[in-house]
Amino acid sequence: MDVKPAVSADIPAIAALWHHGWMQGHGAAAPKSLINQRTADEFLTRTKAHLAQTQVACIKGEMAGFFMIEGDELYQFYVAPGFQGSGVATELMAKAEAALGDGLKWLACLVGNDRAARFYEKSGWVLAATVPYEVETEEGPYVINSWRFEKRLGAAR
């Protein structure tokens, strides 16, 4: 797997994967009003806004997944459908953790996204709290209940 910083040419594939993955992971748990705002165009806009913090994983020229980092937060983490269950997520998580660097890191997981929560726990992330979490939308901030997972990375574990 080749992991590299995302470039402008990656935007359409990242946005499509993000949109699909978000619906797959959040569609049953997110409030209907938020789901209605999560259009393909919104993910395209968000991908452009976060491109500098995005890394993509490719296998044989195909996008296998991506992650975004915002400070100490693993902001987004998605694996393409064709690669789910193949071990790519574990390898990509190791790359994301390396990119995060040392110290206490965190990620937010929508309450009810049980599949993702199980993966994070399997990867050594610890459920620290359930918190209100502000997500971005084209209509402005939207607050959801989120599980906050934490993990201490680096030599001082």
Side-chain angles (χ1 to χ4, degrees):
M1 175 170 40
D2 180 36
V3 178
K4 63 176 183 63
V7 296
S8 295
D10 296 322
I11 291 172
I14 294 167
L17 172 52
W18 193 1
H19 183 233
H20 177 273
W22 193 94
M23 290 299 177
Q24 179 186 38
H26 300 90
K32 183 98 172 134
S33 57
L34 179 59
I35 292 169
N36 291 341
Q37 294 180 59
R38 293 298 196 218
T39 65
D41 285 342
E42 184 196 45
F43 282 95
L44 195 58
T45 299
R46 293 173 67 205
T47 299
K48 290 175 186 175
H50 294 281
L51 190 65
Q53 296 85 20
T54 305
Q55 293 192 37
V56 295
C58 296
I59 297 176
K60 296 180 182 174
E62 187 177 350
M63 186 174 295
F66 74 90
F67 62 85
M68 296 177 181
I69 293 174
E70 296 284 338
D72 286 334
E73 178 186 11
L74 179 53
Y75 176 61
Q76 301 295 330
F77 183 90
Y78 287 92
V79 173
F83 293 94
Q84 292 174 2
S86 71
V88 165
T90 300
E91 189 176 347
L92 186 59
M93 180 57 79
K95 300 286 188 181
E97 290 177 1
L100 279 163
D102 294 348
L104 184 63
K105 308 303 175 181
W106 67 281
L107 61 84
C109 179
L110 177 70
V111 170
N113 188 351
D114 297 329
R115 181 178 183 200
R118 283 191 308 273
F119 170 72
Y120 298 139
E121 289 174 336
K122 180 181 160 194
S123 299
W125 292 79
V126 176
L127 178 57
T130 300
V131 297
Y133 181 76
E134 189 174 281
V135 298
E136 62 189 352
T137 73
E138 289 183 337
E139 296 179 15
Y142 190 106
V143 177
I144 59 170
N145 284 327
S146 179
W147 291 317
R148 180 185 168 107
F149 284 86
E150 296 180 349
K151 187 172 185 181
R152 186 162 298 281
L153 303 175
R157 288 185 187 200

